[in-house]
Amino acid sequence: MSGATAIKLADFQANARAALKDPKLRDSFTGAMDFLIDRRAQQFPDLEAFERLRKVGEAVRQQALSKLPELLEQLETKLTSLGVQVHWAETAADANRIFLDLARRHDASLMVKGKSMVSEEIELNHEMAAQGIECVETDMGEYILQLDGDRPSHIIMPAIHKTKQDVAEIFHEHIKGAPLTDDVNELIAIGRRALRDKFSAARIGVSGVNFMVAETGSLVLVENEGNGRLCTSVPDVHIAITGIEKVIEKLEHVAPLFALLTRSATGQAITTYLNVITGPRRDGEKDGPREMHLILLDNGRTQAYREERFRATLQCIRCGACMNHCPVYTRVGGLSYGTTYPGPIGAIISPHLQNLKETRHLPTASSLCGACGEVCPVGIPIPDMLMRLREAGRHSVAQSATPPQQALRGQGEVRQLAEALAWKAWRLLYSHPALYRLLVWFAARLNWLTPPWQGGWTQARAPLKPASKSLRDLLAERGRQRK
């Protein structure tokens, strides 16, 4: 099995145009997103109840972020006392170096990995494969994509762009003895049989983390397949990796976030598994890892944290609801974005993790309809974040009020001279009435220069129908009715 394909920043506009010409992809995404939207709506039939729960979730995340450094220190102290080794990684390269050191220390040539977007972020599979270490995905969707050399298109359902016929062909080609069948239950059974021996053979199990509890030193993992539980309990060594923002203060804070996450992500009241891991195997216990590590990754998160106008980005609990409701994402799919995190949340996270210049198309890949902000279970003002990133891309540090030490990488480099001149001309005209009147005078007399296609459209369109009653008449009539 080959390692996962390394993620390369791509041209969103070119990818989007190609996706729009793919009817199979559009049908697949439209059907899947409609299904998820309906499932979520069934879980939140009472909007007022949803708003109350969302306020709790938002408060929990904001409280944790307001004292993030202290909670991380508390978490490290608690984990260390429980026998967990904590590692700090400033960049993706640092995180991969830690993984490689641990693999070599334990003479491991095989890792089994549960679903983890942060491991996708650092391209763990690709980096380990380059060092001769096989890192096998055990989430069924991720496993399918790894076999096919493809990348996730959704943070919750990574293989949502694959049909059952696609999966049948992938298994038939890459799994020895797999029959060519499109029966979903049989396909799942084939995948499980292929993965079963990997769990017992692997020296290292890798997982992500949904929430870290500073109070107890617990790592909380949410899943449906049970592969996460196997990855964290069967191998002798468990390595968890997560972003520094995933910490919360108390164990009781898990409940509202869990309720919001599962209902927003897959429309489930509760997932099949909720794993709460508090340290490695203790004396007298029959399962669990004998050694446990946690890698805390920064990779640009500190930049988002230290500037208050972007801090809300880190409230995200990775439910994917904003993607499911985004009219852009549902039409072009996740692979068009060319980044680990697609959709609206990816558009506001990726500039911090990578570079604002390289991800310049993402903040503008939005209609600003506001659906992403309305459904976010922890109240992230995503449309506001998108506007702030657009502004940052067009204004250098010297032009903005942002201190140089808080500037985004690539800030101001999206600015285009023609666009800047056009806005300056607009401001000049609209701030000087005499110039504006002069422009209108010339425009009225140079109407013959209007392009033919525009004039033709103007002449051919249906004229507006006059209202049968004036606004004044309607208001007067309503006043009489009230009396």
Side-chain angles (χ1 to χ4, degrees):
M1 184 187 303
S2 61
T5 304
I7 293 175
K8 296 181 180 178
L9 291 174
D11 185 344
F12 172 80
Q13 294 181 336
N15 288 346
R17 283 193 291 269
L20 290 173
K21 295 177 183 178
D22 186 345
K24 178 182 173 183
L25 178 70
R26 292 193 64 183
D27 289 345
S28 176
F29 263 87
T30 301
M33 296 301 104
D34 287 347
F35 171 76
L36 290 171
I37 289 172
D38 290 342
R39 286 283 298 269
R40 179 194 173 277
Q42 291 171 18
Q43 291 296 327
F44 295 116
D46 187 338
L47 292 180
E48 291 185 3
F50 167 67
E51 284 298 329
R52 288 194 297 270
L53 184 58
R54 172 156 73 169
K55 282 185 174 26
V56 174
E58 182 181 4
V60 168
R61 294 300 294 128
Q62 287 182 347
Q63 180 203 32
L65 290 174
S66 70
K67 44 205 253 185
L68 183 61
E70 298 94 316
L71 290 182
L72 288 172
E73 290 179 359
Q74 180 184 352
L75 176 72
E76 181 182 25
T77 301
K78 189 64 180 179
L79 286 171
T80 303
S81 70
L82 293 167
V84 180
Q85 300 178 46
V86 180
H87 309 265
W88 299 82
E90 184 176 352
T91 65
D94 293 336
N96 284 313
R97 194 177 305 114
I98 295 168
F99 270 105
L100 183 59
D101 290 344
L102 292 173
R104 286 176 173 169
R105 185 191 307 173
H106 293 278
D107 194 26
S109 59
L110 172 65
M111 299 179 182
V112 286
K113 180 162 74 71
K115 194 170 184 307
S116 165
M117 291 308 299
V118 176
S119 70
E120 296 283 350
E121 182 184 325
I122 68 171
E123 300 178 18
L124 177 64
N125 297 359
H126 175 76
E127 294 297 326
M128 293 301 102
Q131 300 298 327
I133 300 170
E134 186 181 12
C135 190
V136 180
E137 297 284 356
T138 63
D139 174 87
M140 191 57 64
E142 295 277 3
Y143 180 60
I144 291 166
L145 297 180
Q146 186 177 35
L147 289 176
D148 199 36
D150 203 352
R151 296 189 291 105
S153 58
H154 193 283
I155 63 176
I156 299 298
M157 294 149 295
I160 199 170
H161 58 293
K162 301 288 187 187
T163 64
K164 61 182 180 180
Q165 290 78 17
D166 294 332
V167 176
E169 293 175 5
I170 292 168
F171 279 3
H172 183 65
E173 180 181 354
H174 295 281
I175 299 178
K176 186 177 180 180
L180 189 59
T181 174
D182 61 0
D183 181 85
V184 175
N185 291 330
E186 190 172 350
L187 288 171
I188 294 297
I190 291 170
R192 284 178 173 171
R193 285 194 296 268
L195 287 171
R196 182 61 58 177
D197 293 338
K198 298 289 185 180
F199 292 109
S200 56
R203 298 291 299 276
I204 294 177
V206 181
S207 78
V209 180
N210 290 100
F211 311 112
M212 302 179 290
V213 184
E215 176 187 46
T216 60
S218 302
L219 306 183
V220 181
L221 280 71
V222 180
E223 56 155 333
N224 274 316
E225 298 178 18
N227 62 303
R229 183 163 293 184
L230 288 169
C231 286
T232 59
S233 61
V234 176
D236 285 338
V237 181
H238 171 208
I239 306 174
I241 180 168
T242 188
I244 57 175
E245 79 279 13
K246 291 294 186 69
V247 67
I248 57 178
E249 185 173 9
K250 298 179 180 180
L251 189 61
E252 65 190 60
H253 293 164
V254 171
L257 293 178
F258 179 58
L260 287 164
L261 173 61
T262 58
R263 296 177 184 180
S264 300
T266 56
Q268 295 173 269
I270 188 171
T271 51
T272 308
Y273 298 92
L274 175 65
N275 306 307
V276 181
I277 304 170
T278 309
R281 182 190 304 190
R282 297 170 177 79
D283 293 338
E285 293 182 341
K286 296 183 179 181
D287 62 5
R290 302 183 186 277
E291 188 176 310
M292 187 172 167
H293 300 261
L294 173 65
I295 301 175
L296 293 168
L297 179 67
D298 182 347
N299 201 33
R301 289 164 173 80
T302 297
Q303 194 285 324
Y305 173 78
R306 69 189 176 200
E307 189 169 351
E308 194 169 343
R309 61 176 177 156
F310 292 127
R311 186 176 295 181
T313 302
L314 302 179
Q315 292 173 205
C316 179
I317 57 175
R318 304 294 192 271
C319 69
C322 61
M323 301 178 191
N324 304 341
H325 291 75
C326 175
V328 176
Y329 175 86
T330 55
R331 283 159 179 79
V332 303
L335 297 181
S336 298
Y337 292 79
T339 53
T340 303
Y341 306 98
I345 191 62
I348 66 174
I349 287 179
S350 299
H352 298 285
L353 305 183
Q354 292 163 309
N355 186 298
L356 186 54
K357 182 179 181 180
E358 293 173 341
T359 58
R360 62 189 178 278
H361 294 307
L362 302 190
T364 58
S366 170
S367 63
L368 295 179
C369 65
C372 52
E374 289 178 8
V375 300
C376 177
V378 288
I380 302 175
I382 297 178
D384 291 345
M385 298 288 109
L386 292 171
M387 293 301 295
R388 291 170 189 175
L389 286 168
R390 293 182 187 186
E391 180 184 2
R394 287 168 172 77
H395 293 84
S396 65
V397 180
Q399 296 173 308
S400 68
T402 304
Q405 68 272 17
Q406 294 184 4
L408 280 163
R409 286 175 295 166
Q411 182 166 331
E413 296 184 27
V414 183
R415 181 176 181 270
Q416 296 179 352
L417 181 59
E419 182 182 3
L421 291 175
W423 281 114
K424 283 185 177 180
W426 181 89
R427 182 174 62 182
L428 181 66
L429 286 169
Y430 278 80
S431 59
H432 293 81
L435 282 177
Y436 179 78
R437 285 193 294 269
L438 182 63
L439 174 67
V440 171
W441 186 87
F442 272 108
R445 283 152 182 78
L446 298 177
N447 188 46
W448 57 275
L449 292 175
T450 303
W453 61 265
Q454 184 175 338
W457 172 80
T458 305
Q459 294 171 5
R461 67 176 179 169
L464 293 174
K465 296 181 179 179
S468 57
K469 294 183 179 181
S470 68
L471 178 61
R472 181 179 298 177
D473 292 338
L474 289 171
L475 291 175
E477 183 176 331
R478 287 184 183 178
R480 288 194 296 270
Q481 290 174 353
R482 290 194 186 99
K483 291 180 182 178

